[in-house]
Amino acid sequence: MIEIPTELIELVTRELWQVLGVFLRVSAVVSLMPGIGERSIPVRVKLAVAVVFALVVSPAVGPMPAPRSPLGFAAFALPEILVGLVLGIGLRLFVLALQTAGSIAAQATSLSQFLGGAGEPLPAMGMLLALAGTTLALILGLHVRAAEFLIHSYTLFPPGRLPVPADLSRWGVAQVARSFGLAFTLATPFVIASLLYNLALGVINRAMPQLMVAFVGAPAITFAGVFLLFICTPVILSVWADALFVFLHDPVRAR
């Protein structure tokens, strides 16, 4: 019978705990990450991605003391999962920004139901921008930036420690405000076009009350919305991707 050295058992146990400790935070982030954390992605794929991220991140993280009791494990796991969820929500807000921008643009250009799926409350513009944005982020190396982001998160939030509630609430409010501000910024061309369209209709209606301006203007605003989407999408996605990578570089000071 082969006797396994005690040192080897301790080494393997320590390394397995290191990966497990990192996995607690990483899995929460991956479940909400743009592209990888979508509801259409199978749970098994998300689990495999989380394990790979844990294996990549764990060597760059300092050693984690192993808990000696189930209560100690719970005291370590809960802060790690909470931090992972907070960081994942920060990333998910960027997808929400694209969806909100698409909803604002669709409402402004009377395209809120244009090609909308049955039972799908999100307008087609929002779905298109969200899909294009997540695809662009993955092409630009979101997985590499996410690994760096996770490694940096252990400097900002040491393992096993709860964030200060007051700081966490201020940070959360700032991120939500930034998300909606970014959404309105991305939808600005459509809002301006809608304003000009309604002003023009008002002038025409005052000049020619007998003309049914709504029937004349509806095709015009529909064409303008589609044309603006075609012209402005590259700029919208570029601004969005820059904001996302700024957040990944420093989630605390990102604005």
Side-chain angles (χ1 to χ4, degrees):
M1 183 175 180
I2 300 175
E3 183 178 354
I4 302 176
T6 306
E7 294 80 2
L8 180 59
I9 296 177
E10 293 178 355
L11 176 62
V12 172
T13 303
R14 185 167 61 250
E15 294 300 324
L16 286 177
W17 165 246
Q18 181 81 3
V19 174
L20 176 60
V22 172
F23 177 79
L24 294 172
R25 180 180 300 190
V26 168
S27 59
V29 175
V30 169
S31 66
L32 296 169
M33 185 183 299
I36 302 173
E38 306 299 331
R39 287 183 296 178
S40 58
I41 304 298
V43 177
R44 293 179 181 178
V45 175
K46 295 179 184 178
L47 179 61
V49 172
V51 171
V52 172
F53 268 116
L55 293 174
V56 171
V57 173
S58 59
V61 179
M64 300 182 184
R68 301 183 180 276
S69 64
L71 185 60
F73 175 77
F76 177 87
L78 290 179
E80 287 298 291
I81 296 174
L82 175 62
V83 170
L85 289 176
V86 167
L87 296 176
I89 290 172
L91 291 174
R92 176 54 51 178
L93 286 174
F94 282 91
V95 179
L96 176 63
L98 280 179
Q99 294 174 348
T100 306
S103 298
I104 295 173
Q107 292 291 340
T109 56
S110 301
L111 295 174
S112 58
Q113 301 299 325
F114 182 62
L115 297 181
E120 177 59 58
L122 186 66
M125 275 191 179
M127 295 181 62
L128 177 63
L129 289 178
L131 179 61
T134 52
T135 303
L136 177 63
L138 292 171
I139 292 174
L140 294 177
L142 176 62
H143 55 291
V144 178
R145 302 292 185 92
E148 297 173 351
F149 171 72
L150 290 167
I151 294 172
H152 182 52
S153 70
Y154 284 93
T155 303
L156 301 173
F157 306 101
R161 297 184 186 178
L162 283 172
V164 179
D167 295 339
L168 185 60
S169 63
R170 284 194 295 268
W171 180 85
V173 171
Q175 297 310 309
V176 172
R178 177 194 47 74
S179 176
F180 281 99
L182 177 62
F184 187 81
T185 301
L186 298 178
T188 297
F190 301 90
V191 176
I192 294 175
S194 175
L195 176 62
L196 296 177
Y197 163 77
N198 285 286
L199 286 176
L201 283 190
V203 172
I204 295 173
N205 190 42
R206 292 286 293 178
M208 302 178 62
Q210 69 277 12
L211 179 65
M212 300 295 292
V213 293
F215 292 101
V216 177
I221 191 61
T222 300
F223 174 77
V226 175
F227 181 75
L228 279 177
L229 183 65
F230 173 74
I231 295 298
C232 298
T233 296
V235 179
I236 289 174
L237 295 182
S238 176
V239 173
W240 177 83
D242 290 342
L244 173 62
F245 290 135
V246 167
F247 177 83
L248 287 171
H249 177 71
D250 192 349
V252 174
R253 296 180 178 85
R255 293 291 186 270

